[in-house]
Amino acid sequence: MTSSDRPALSIGRRVDEVDWSTVVENLDDVGISAIGPILTCDECRDLRAIYATDERFRSTIDMARRRFGEGQYRYFARPLPAVVADLRQAFWPHLLPVARAWADRRKQAAPWPDDFDMWISQCHDAGQTRPTPLMLRYGPGDWNALHRDLYGDLVFPLQVVIGLDVPGDDYTGGEFIVVEQRPRAQSRATTHTIPQGHGIVFTTRDRPIKSARGWAAAPMRHGVSTLHSGQRHTLGLIFHDAT
């Protein structure tokens, strides 16, 4: 089913229809997975239009000034756009079992409750009160350095990015990259080109890997390769708030 077939479906239904068994396999294998179409073309257009509305954002980051790369991103202010709030709620029950399984493998605490709003309340009680969903905009020559989106002591280990433009038509270059630091081996890079309205889910910090002594952590970082032409917008969904 393409994104143009989806206007009658709620955000929750679209997320429910993702092939989650395959997504989980990919996350366990390489720490990243495509999840297929999530937003319609109209929803992508509406989100892109919000980018120019200053009052919808709490902060704007010039990546060059921070030496994060080249380009710009903006963190949404509250209240979040309805589609953004709906997406975080819809993804939570599907990502939560993965997070708990990963924590169990490494015998770590799994502080995440079934209810997403309760988790955000825990973040706020810990002083992490600033919303983290964001939009990113890249032009020719822009890129995003490899990084992690942590923001505080309370961290959810998975996040989602959704493409808002058409690769090849609206822009060229700008592939999404994750790099895994493998124990006693060379680092491994995985790239994705994100179609308009499609999403990818990936690890925020690391993923568990089998070792001779049980389970170890493979640190991972993500970024974006250099944009060659056009303009690229993405929606980033992070599932913990910031200090």
Side-chain angles (χ1 to χ4, degrees), residues 34-110:
I35 53 179
I38 297 296
L39 296 180
T40 67
C41 296
D42 287 345
E43 287 164 341
C44 292
R45 179 201 62 212
D46 292 345
L47 280 168
R48 289 198 310 269
I50 290 175
Y51 198 89
T53 309
D54 291 344
E55 59 267 26
R56 301 304 301 270
F57 298 94
R58 67 169 178 84
S59 179
T60 300
I61 306 298
D62 182 313
M63 285 191 266
R65 184 174 301 172
R66 302 287 185 93
R67 303 186 71 179
F68 293 164
E70 301 279 347
Q72 186 184 81
Y73 57 90
R74 311 191 83 177
Y75 290 104
F76 285 104
R78 290 193 178 89
L80 298 175
V83 67
V84 175
D86 289 349
L87 284 164
R88 289 216 296 179
Q89 289 280 357
F91 277 112
W92 184 253
H94 298 284
L95 300 179
L96 184 59
V98 182
R100 288 173 170 169
W102 284 9
D104 182 65
R105 289 172 192 171
R106 299 188 57 217
K107 295 180 170 52
Q108 294 179 327

Side-chain angles (χ1 to χ4, degrees), residues 25-178:
E25 290 177 7
N26 292 337
L27 288 172
D28 282 338
D29 184 36
V30 293
I32 184 171
S33 181
I35 53 179
I38 297 296
L39 296 180
T40 67
C41 296
D42 287 345
E43 287 164 341
C44 292
R45 179 201 62 212
D46 292 345
L47 280 168
R48 289 198 310 269
I50 290 175
Y51 198 89
T53 309
D54 291 344
E55 59 267 26
R56 301 304 301 270
F57 298 94
R58 67 169 178 84
S59 179
T60 300
I61 306 298
D62 182 313
M63 285 191 266
R65 184 174 301 172
R66 302 287 185 93
R67 303 186 71 179
F68 293 164
E70 301 279 347
Q72 186 184 81
Y73 57 90
R74 311 191 83 177
Y75 290 104
F76 285 104
R78 290 193 178 89
L80 298 175
V83 67
V84 175
D86 289 349
L87 284 164
R88 289 216 296 179
Q89 289 280 357
F91 277 112
W92 184 253
H94 298 284
L95 300 179
L96 184 59
V98 182
R100 288 173 170 169
W102 284 9
D104 182 65
R105 289 172 192 171
R106 299 188 57 217
K107 295 180 170 52
Q108 294 179 327
W112 315 289
D114 291 342
D115 184 80
F116 178 66
D117 289 334
M118 288 182 61
W119 166 242
I120 293 300
S121 293
Q122 287 178 221
C123 290
H124 292 183
D125 291 343
Q128 296 177 209
T129 58
R130 297 188 297 168
T132 50
L134 71 164
M135 287 182 63
L136 303 97
R137 185 179 69 187
Y138 303 87
D142 289 347
W143 56 284
N144 196 344
L146 294 172
H147 66 283
R148 299 169 175 177
D149 298 310
L150 300 179
Y151 301 119
D153 292 334
L154 295 181
V155 175
F156 189 71
L158 297 162
Q159 62 193 86
V160 173
V161 166
I162 298 175
L164 303 180
D165 298 292
V166 180
D169 291 342
D170 295 324
Y171 68 92
T172 60
E175 293 84 6
F176 189 88
I177 307 167
V178 295

